[in-house]
Every structure is written in C-alpha cells, then in structure tokens.
Amino acid sequence: MDNKTQIAFLNGSKKREKVLVSACLLGIPCRYDGKSKKCVEVEKLERYFDFVPVCPEVLGGLKTPRDPSEIKDGKVLTKKGRDVTQNYKDGAYWALAACKVKGIHLAILKENSPSCGVHRVHDGLFSGKTIEGLGITAKTLQKNNIAMIDEEEAKELLSLLEEKHA
C-alpha cells in the first residue's frame, strides 16, 4: 500500500471506507477446490471497513469447484488445458465495476491466485511454485488505480489500526 493510501486509511474518517475483499479470505468456499482460505486477521479488519466480498472467478462464470488454473504465456489455462482467459477477464471487469459503483479505493486480495495475486502467481506449470506477477483481476485493478494488498499486508494493516485505536 502506498503512503498516501495508508495515511488516508489510518487517519480515519467518520464515513467507513468500502474495501473489496477476496471472498475466499472471508471463509466463503469459492476456490477452485471448493474450499476457502479464511484469514482471521482479514476478517478483523471489518471492524474498520465495510467489506465488499468478491470472487472474480465466480463472477466470470466459473463454477465451484473447478479445475485449477494458472497463467501461462498471458493466457489462463486449466490443468486439463482448457483456455479460461475470458472468464478471468470477465471476472476482473465485474470486480472493477464493483469498485467503481461502490467508490472502492483498496482491495485485499488472495496472493498466488491467477485472478487475485498481488505480488505472486503460480508458475503456469502446475508445479506448486510461484513467481513474481499479477493475477488478471489484480492487473485490472492496478491499471485503474485501485490500491491492493495481500493477506499478509492486511495483517500489518490490522496491527497499525489496532495500535492507533488502542
């Protein structure tokens, strides 16, 4: 999170900011494997913000559960080789639309996801390894000046807010 965004959120206003959040981080079972990646610290941030949960893959028309997907050569392919790039682009479009309609300036996204990865995504070989890169939704949000943090950075934000409000 850049300094300007951090200062705005830490200064706190009477109006609660809306924040886009990967639904899986809130315990919603929408991941490819039909599970979630619930993060208690992310959930605790709801004390300070109004959450707008999204799963771009589901918004893009993919079912849960679904075949795992990874980005390879600019395309999103399932492990079986099916090209689902357009589903990911559609999901990114709808996530961005939610930000615009709701006046959202910050997103908390699931790292390593082909959709939501803020800093890292899987390597495209289904090897379990990650590489530097942005997921499809993260790239779309970045192009539209939406600040993004992953779940680890969200934990740091929670610590800062708890210190400020202690």
Side-chain angles (χ1 to χ4, degrees):
M1 176 182 324
D2 64 21
N3 287 341
K4 182 179 174 185
T5 304
Q6 188 175 12
I7 290 167
F9 284 108
L10 289 175
N11 280 340
S13 64
K14 293 182 182 175
K15 179 183 169 197
R16 285 170 49 109
E17 293 287 334
K18 289 179 177 36
V19 175
L20 191 82
V21 181
S22 291
C24 63
L25 293 174
L26 299 174
I28 298 170
C30 56
R31 288 171 35 95
Y32 75 92
D33 58 5
K35 298 178 182 176
S36 72
K37 280 288 186 176
K38 185 175 178 176
C39 180
V40 175
E41 292 86 356
V42 169
E43 283 185 316
K44 287 180 181 179
L45 281 169
E46 199 161 20
R47 297 175 191 156
Y48 306 100
F49 307 108
D50 289 331
F51 284 170
V52 176
V54 299
C55 176
E57 292 94 333
V58 173
L59 290 175
L62 296 174
K63 63 181 181 171
T64 302
R66 57 189 167 274
D67 289 331
S69 300
E70 295 187 5
I71 301 170
K72 178 77 172 175
D73 299 325
K75 293 184 178 185
V76 185
L77 304 173
T78 69
K79 195 169 186 176
K80 294 179 181 175
R82 182 172 154 234
D83 187 339
V84 290
T85 306
Q86 191 60 51
N87 297 95
Y88 278 73
K89 287 181 177 180
D90 290 349
Y93 169 85
W94 289 113
L96 177 61
C99 290
K100 288 183 175 185
V101 167
K102 299 285 188 180
I104 294 171
H105 303 286
L106 175 66
I108 302 172
L109 302 175
K110 177 70 187 100
E111 193 67 280
N112 302 324
S113 161
S115 207
C116 297
V118 175
H119 307 290
R120 302 191 68 76
V121 294
H122 285 276
D123 65 6
L125 303 173
F126 297 93
S127 68
K129 296 178 182 173
T130 62
I131 58 172
E132 279 188 38
L134 287 167
I136 303 299
T137 296
K139 192 176 291 186
T140 299
L141 296 180
Q142 182 184 60
K143 285 179 185 174
N144 286 273
N145 300 311
I146 307 295
M148 301 174 295
I149 60 175
D150 65 20
E151 61 271 31
E152 293 303 314
E153 292 164 320
K155 292 175 185 179
E156 294 171 23
L157 177 59
L158 177 63
S159 293
L160 290 170
L161 288 167
E162 287 179 338
E163 283 176 28
K164 181 182 189 286
H165 295 281

